[in-house]
Amino acid sequence: MAKFFLSYGYNIIIFFIITHLMSILGKLKPWNPSIPYEILSLNISSKLSTNSHAIKESSKDFGKIIQEILPAAVLYPSCVNDIIDLIQFSYDLSVPFHVAAKGHGHSIRGQAMAKNGVIVEMSSLNNNNNENCGVRVSWDSDLGFYADVGGEQLWIDVLHNTLEYGLAPVSWTDYLYLTVGGTLSNAGISGQTFRYGPQISNVHEMDVITGKGELMTCSKDMNSELFFGVLGGLGQFGIITRARIVLDKAPTRVKWVRMLYDDFSKFTKDQEHLISIHNNGLDYVEGSLMMEQSSLNNWRSSFYSPSNQTKIASLLSKNKIMYCLEIVKYYDDQNANTIDK
């Protein structure tokens, strides 16, 4: 009789385990067969989502040229090792599945998409306060001031953190709600580019997870092929988890001027002239165009007063297209009296 109860109890335990596993698999469905169920044995299984909302959000492309490329799952990593485990698992398969990193969702032409693969939501690293992420400001006798920045960090947060030390990156993007890893995988350009180069020209080193799942530190002198491949590589050579960014003294005040042209030749001639001034020249020069159907109440024109918006609308109605030249000069209290010159 004792043996019967032992056997009966053992069967109950086995039945419970099987039922629990089936319930887990049931929650994960629908699961794309391109990703083996063996991935559920990894530590990252609890951080994978096949939720329809997560899948739908990851199938959108900011440029709206490429859409509805559905991933099989979305990974919400809590640390860099979660991403390493995912990529190593894929690499070891006879037929690897696609893996793509998604920052703040502004990539275009499918860069942050992975058909039947896994999207890595990089913002999850920041939400989990990962020790490898964040913004850390330092100084070195050879490099000067720099910031070690997590690839998932937004540039606006980098700005806020570095300003606490009176410092800032020297090259920006016009829109700061983009991730560091995202812009460095493209170029990162704005009105400072003519003077300092794009953002990819202002990086000392990076930590990158390669397609083999190896975490490597690279710079122009160490693993240089990976370094220059990843910078501007559209995410095809690895996932950036840390970047060492060049910093300089942040301006305390700026003079900001916008000039409108109806003649393209004069517009480009003035822009080229301002860019060519090297000694004591401007700190920001950027040109853009405004069309009749353009909205005058957008982020680029938010500094215009209502009366100026009315004048600009009248000019656009007359000329159909206008050219805008933005220029900025940094200054402080010591040279405030001469800035208008």
Side-chain angles (χ1 to χ4, degrees):
M1 184 65 69
K3 290 182 179 180
F4 170 76
F5 280 114
L6 287 173
S7 175
Y8 179 75
Y10 178 77
N11 289 335
I12 289 293
I13 293 172
I14 294 297
F15 175 77
F16 174 77
I17 293 174
I18 293 175
T19 303
H20 183 63
L21 287 174
M22 289 180 66
S23 67
I24 293 175
L25 294 176
K27 291 178 181 179
L28 288 173
K29 289 181 179 179
W31 187 264
N32 194 296
S34 63
I35 301 181
Y37 270 113
E38 286 85 350
I39 198 172
L40 298 178
S41 65
L42 300 178
N43 293 330
I44 62 172
S45 61
S46 63
K47 302 166 188 176
L48 283 168
S49 174
T50 57
N51 179 277
S52 59
H53 176 72
I55 296 295
K56 184 177 180 180
E57 286 300 308
S58 296
S59 66
K60 295 180 180 179
D61 190 77
F62 187 74
K64 297 184 179 181
I65 297 175
I66 300 175
Q67 296 190 61
E68 299 303 322
I69 297 182
L70 300 175
V74 179
L75 175 68
Y76 296 90
S78 61
C79 62
V80 171
N81 284 335
D82 291 342
I83 308 174
I84 293 174
D85 289 344
L86 173 70
I87 296 178
Q88 285 181 346
F89 176 78
S90 175
Y91 180 76
D92 290 337
L93 296 174
S94 57
V95 181
F97 52 81
H98 295 287
V99 176
K102 179 184 176 185
H104 211 224
H106 288 82
S107 296
I108 60 174
R109 296 192 178 275
Q111 179 183 335
M113 292 181 168
K115 185 177 182 180
N116 298 328
V118 177
I119 300 295
V120 180
E121 281 284 353
M122 298 297 289
S123 61
S124 182
L125 290 174
N126 193 34
N127 295 337
N128 285 279
N129 297 315
N130 183 264
E131 69 278 1
N132 294 307
C133 304
V135 181
R136 298 188 300 274
V137 176
S138 304
W139 181 85
D140 180 86
S141 57
D142 294 325
L143 303 179
F145 286 103
Y146 62 86
D148 285 306
V149 182
E152 79 293 339
Q153 293 292 310
L154 298 179
W155 283 105
I156 186 66
D157 295 325
V158 175
L159 175 61
H160 289 158
N161 279 271
T162 56
L163 278 179
E164 293 181 5
Y165 301 88
L167 304 167
V170 297
S171 188
W172 292 98
T173 54
D174 287 331
Y175 184 65
L176 299 185
Y177 290 85
L178 303 172
T179 61
V180 171
T183 62
L184 294 184
S185 68
N186 285 273
I189 60 173
S190 73
Q192 293 100 344
T193 300
F194 81 97
R195 185 165 182 175
Y196 297 101
Q199 290 181 320
I200 58 175
S201 297
N202 294 279
V203 181
H204 291 306
E205 70 175 37
M206 296 182 293
D207 287 341
V208 175
I209 304 175
T210 69
K212 293 182 178 181
E214 300 172 330
L215 181 61
M216 300 179 65
T217 299
C218 56
S219 67
K220 64 178 181 180
D221 300 315
M222 175 175 54
N223 299 315
S224 59
E225 288 188 355
L226 178 64
F227 181 73
F228 290 113
V230 169
L231 290 173
L234 300 179
Q236 301 304 299
F237 297 91
I239 296 177
I240 301 169
T241 61
R242 177 187 65 89
R244 181 163 289 180
I245 306 297
V246 176
L247 300 180
D248 201 354
K249 181 181 177 181
T252 57
R253 303 175 71 177
V254 300
K255 181 73 173 182
W256 179 81
V257 176
R258 265 185 159 173
M259 298 179 287
L260 295 180
Y261 295 75
D262 58 9
D263 187 303
F264 182 74
S265 296
K266 292 180 180 179
F267 161 71
T268 54
K269 183 179 179 180
D270 284 356
Q271 187 173 14
E272 291 172 358
H273 170 68
L274 293 172
I275 288 174
S276 68
I277 302 173
H278 299 291
N279 296 324
N280 199 31
L282 297 171
D283 297 286
Y284 181 106
V285 178
E286 186 170 48
S288 59
L289 62 84
M290 303 173 67
M291 303 182 71
E292 185 178 15
Q293 61 267 37
S294 300
S295 171
L296 292 180
N297 190 26
N298 58 36
W299 68 275
R300 295 198 70 93
S301 58
S302 59
F303 293 100
Y304 289 132
S305 65
S307 60
N308 280 333
Q309 289 191 32
T310 301
K311 293 177 182 178
I312 295 170
S314 176
L315 288 171
L316 285 172
S317 177
K318 176 182 178 181
N319 297 285
K320 308 304 180 184
I321 187 170
M322 300 288 291
Y323 309 97
C324 178
L325 190 56
E326 294 181 70
I327 60 174
V328 168
K329 179 66 178 176
Y330 301 159
Y331 69 104
D332 53 31
D333 292 335
Q334 294 180 346
N335 56 10
N337 294 329
T338 61
I339 185 61
D340 287 336
K341 295 181 179 181

